[in-house]
Amino acid sequence: MSSDSSDRTDSAGPAGPSGLDPAVAARLKRNADGLVPAVAQQYDTGEVLMLGWMDDEALHRTLTTGRCTYWSRSRGEYWVKGDTSGHFQHVKSVALDCDGDTVLVRVDQVDGACHTGDRTCFDAGELPLGPAASA
């Protein structure tokens, strides 16, 4: 999962007032902190890049600016991917899953998506599968 130490923006709070379309907001199933996981995927290859967290305002900003905005749980502030690192995520499409509890953001990723600079946060090595799972 992604740490977000390389890109900063401003603080406010999760689940505060937002400009998110009420019809979209009504579909969201948030966790106890008012957040939904947001999976970033490279739009043309399907490569899973990272996971971040969004509240209503972060999703609103993502939908209206074309740049991925996330909520930093560790710092308690919004951050726009690429503002300090230069590793921008240009939004191509946004979808909710069938339960409304996860957002899929298809992006055109510039350079690495991971805070380590790697292309994806999921390249630290696959976990070994047991014999029944690998059959």
Side-chain angles (χ1 to χ4, degrees), residues 27-29 36-37 39 94-105:
R27 294 177 58 196
L28 291 176
K29 291 184 185 162
V36 294
V39 177
V94 180
L96 289 176
D97 74 343
C98 58
D99 296 320
D101 62 2
T102 304
V103 176
L104 176 64
V105 186

Side-chain angles (χ1 to χ4, degrees), residues 25-121:
R27 294 177 58 196
L28 291 176
K29 291 184 185 162
R30 301 156 196 82
N31 69 12
D33 296 321
L35 303 170
V36 294
V39 177
Q41 179 184 45
Q42 179 62 34
Y43 82 100
D44 54 352
T45 65
E47 179 182 28
V48 176
L49 301 168
M50 61 171 277
L51 178 123
W53 294 90
M54 291 185 179
D55 67 354
D56 290 22
E57 180 60 22
L59 180 55
H60 169 70
R61 292 180 190 190
T62 298
L63 291 168
T64 58
T65 66
R67 301 262 318 281
C68 282
T69 300
Y70 300 98
W71 175 258
S72 170
R73 296 175 302 157
S74 60
R75 291 191 318 266
E77 64 185 15
Y78 294 104
W79 57 283
V80 178
K81 185 67 179 164
D83 271 0
T84 47
S85 68
H87 299 182
F88 298 102
Q89 291 178 340
H90 301 286
V91 177
K92 297 294 186 177
S93 68
V94 180
L96 289 176
D97 74 343
C98 58
D99 296 320
D101 62 2
T102 304
V103 176
L104 176 64
V105 186
R106 291 182 183 99
V107 301
D108 189 9
Q109 177 69 50
V110 176
D111 296 322
C114 188
H115 73 284
T116 65
D118 289 343
R119 172 74 182 163
T120 172
C121 294

